[in-house]
Amino acid sequence: MTPSNETQTAHIAGATVAGRPRRGGANGLTFLQNHAVAIMTLILVIGVTLANPNFLSYLNLANMLSQWAPAGLMAVGMTFVVIAGGFDLSIAAIFSLSSVVAAIAAEAMGVPVALVAALLVGGLVGAVNASLIARLDINPFITTVGTGFIVTGVTFVVTGNAAFFVSAPGFGVLGAGRLMGFPYSGMLLIAVLILSAVILHKSVFGHQVFAVGGNPEASRLSGLNVPLVIGSTYALLGALAGLAGLISASQLSSAQAVMDPNILFDVLTIVIVGGTPLGGGIGSIWRTCVGLILIATISNGFVLLDISPSYQNIIKGCLIVGALALDSLLKRLR
C-alpha cells in the first residue's frame, strides 16, 4: 500500500457518519453480531412465557434439561471440533452405537461397565476420525460421512435391527433419575458446560484449539502439534457422543440401531445458530449454551402451544440460514 493510500484509509477509518464517529458504529455492529442470537432467544422466551406461563415452571424447565441433555453434550464436543476448523457428521451413528453397547453391557455386566463401555466406544470412533482427518489429512466431511455409514452398519449387525431392553437395576438413574425434581442428566450437562468453558477459554489446550482453527499453518510453524490438537477435539466429541448415547438409553431403558435420526441436525443447529461459525478460530461455550436454549425453547414451545411438530424443521432450517446470513452481513458492514 502506498503512503497516499495509507493516509486515505486512515482518513476513511476516522470519518464520521451522520455526526457520529465510525468507531461507535463498528462497536454497535460488533455488539449486535456477538449478541443477536442471545437477544432473539430472550425475546422468544418472553413470548412463549406470555403465551403459556407454564413454560418457566420448575417442572417444565427440568424436563427440558433432561430431554436436551444428549444433544447438549454433543453440541459441546462439536463446538471444540468446529473452532479447531473441523466438522463431524458421524455423531448420530456414534450416539446410536454407544447406546446399544451401553444397553448390552448393562444387561450383561452391570451399570458401571455400561458407562465405561459407552465412553470407550464413542472415544474410539472419535479417535479413528481423528487419525483419518488429522494424520492422513482427509477431508473431514468425507471422512465422517464414511465412518458414519460404517458405524451405522455395525450397529445394525449387532442389533439385528431389533431393540434391546434393559432391566438391570439402576440403569435408568442417570437418564431418568432426579434429585428434588432436578434431573441427574441436567446436572451432568451443566457440569460439562462449565468445565468445557473453563478448558476452552482458560487452558493452554483451549488456546491451542483457537490458534489451530484460526491459522493451522502459523500454528505449525510456531511449534504446535496441529494433528494432535485437531485429533483431540474429535476424540472428545466421540466420548461425549458416547455419554449422550448412554443417557438416552438410560432414559428409555432400551436402545436400537437408530436412536434419534434428527439429533445430528439438532446439534448442528445448536452450534451454528449459537454463533460458532464454520471455518474455525471463533466460538465459545456460552454461544452454544444460547443456541441450546433457543432450540429447546422452540421445541418445547411448540408442544405447549399445541403447534404441529412438522413446522419445527422448517423453523430450525430458517434459523441456520438466517444465522449464517446475519453473520455474513454484519461482517461486511463492519
Side-chain angles (χ1 to χ4, degrees):
M1 179 179 290
T2 64
S4 61
N5 286 336
E6 290 177 353
T7 304
Q8 184 180 16
T9 302
H11 175 72
I12 294 173
T16 60
V17 178
R20 292 176 297 175
R22 184 178 177 87
R23 179 183 298 273
N27 288 340
L29 287 172
T30 301
F31 178 84
L32 181 59
Q33 183 178 15
N34 290 337
H35 300 90
V37 177
I39 295 171
M40 182 170 61
T41 301
L42 178 60
I43 294 173
L44 179 64
V45 168
I46 293 173
V48 175
T49 303
L50 291 176
N52 191 326
N54 289 328
F55 174 74
L56 286 183
S57 68
Y58 181 83
L59 178 60
N60 188 59
L61 293 178
N63 289 338
M64 286 174 62
L65 265 176
S66 177
Q67 177 186 353
W68 286 91
L73 289 171
M74 289 194 285
V76 169
M78 185 67 81
T79 302
F80 277 82
V81 170
V82 172
I83 291 176
F87 203 70
D88 194 337
L89 295 173
S90 67
I91 56 172
I94 299 174
F95 169 73
S96 296
L97 177 62
S98 300
S99 66
V100 169
V101 169
I104 295 174
E107 195 69 10
M109 294 172 283
V111 176
V113 176
L115 172 61
V116 175
L119 290 173
L120 285 178
V121 168
L124 177 61
V125 179
V128 171
N129 284 334
S131 298
L132 295 172
I133 294 167
R135 295 295 179 184
L136 300 182
D137 198 25
I138 304 177
N139 182 281
F141 287 85
I142 297 173
T143 299
T144 54
V145 166
T147 56
F149 276 120
I150 294 171
V151 171
T152 299
V154 170
T155 308
F156 273 107
V157 170
V158 170
T159 62
N161 201 20
F164 276 86
F165 295 93
V166 184
S167 59
F171 184 69
V173 172
L174 180 60
R178 303 196 175 205
L179 177 64
M180 294 186 292
F182 200 84
Y184 290 121
S185 56
M187 296 179 190
L188 180 60
L189 173 60
I190 293 172
V192 169
L193 284 168
I194 295 173
L195 179 60
S196 59
V198 173
I199 293 173
L200 185 60
H201 300 288
K202 299 297 182 181
S203 72
V204 173
F205 172 69
H207 294 159
Q208 291 175 345
V209 170
F210 278 105
V212 169
N215 194 325
E217 182 61 20
S219 299
R220 183 186 67 80
L221 294 175
S222 66
L224 291 182
N225 189 334
V226 174
L228 179 61
V229 174
I230 294 175
S232 298
T233 63
Y234 282 96
L236 173 63
L237 174 55
L240 288 175
L243 180 59
L246 169 66
I247 290 175
S248 185
S250 175
Q251 290 172 338
L252 301 172
S253 292
S254 66
Q256 55 188 1
V258 180
M259 288 293 289
D260 185 351
N262 293 322
I263 199 162
L264 171 61
F265 187 43
D266 287 335
V267 171
L268 295 179
T269 305
I270 290 168
V271 175
I272 295 173
V273 171
T276 299
L278 301 179
I282 301 174
S284 66
I285 296 301
W286 79 263
R287 293 177 185 274
T288 297
C289 187
V290 170
L292 175 60
I293 294 172
L294 176 63
I295 300 306
T297 299
I298 291 173
S299 178
N300 186 258
F302 272 48
V303 174
L304 292 178
L305 301 178
D306 196 25
I307 300 175
S308 172
S310 302
Y311 292 100
Q312 284 193 41
N313 287 338
I314 298 175
I315 292 181
K316 289 176 183 177
C318 290
L319 283 173
I320 290 181
V321 175
L324 294 175
L326 178 62
D327 181 71
S328 177
L329 175 61
L330 291 175
K331 284 180 179 178
R332 291 181 181 181
L333 291 174
R334 290 174 60 191

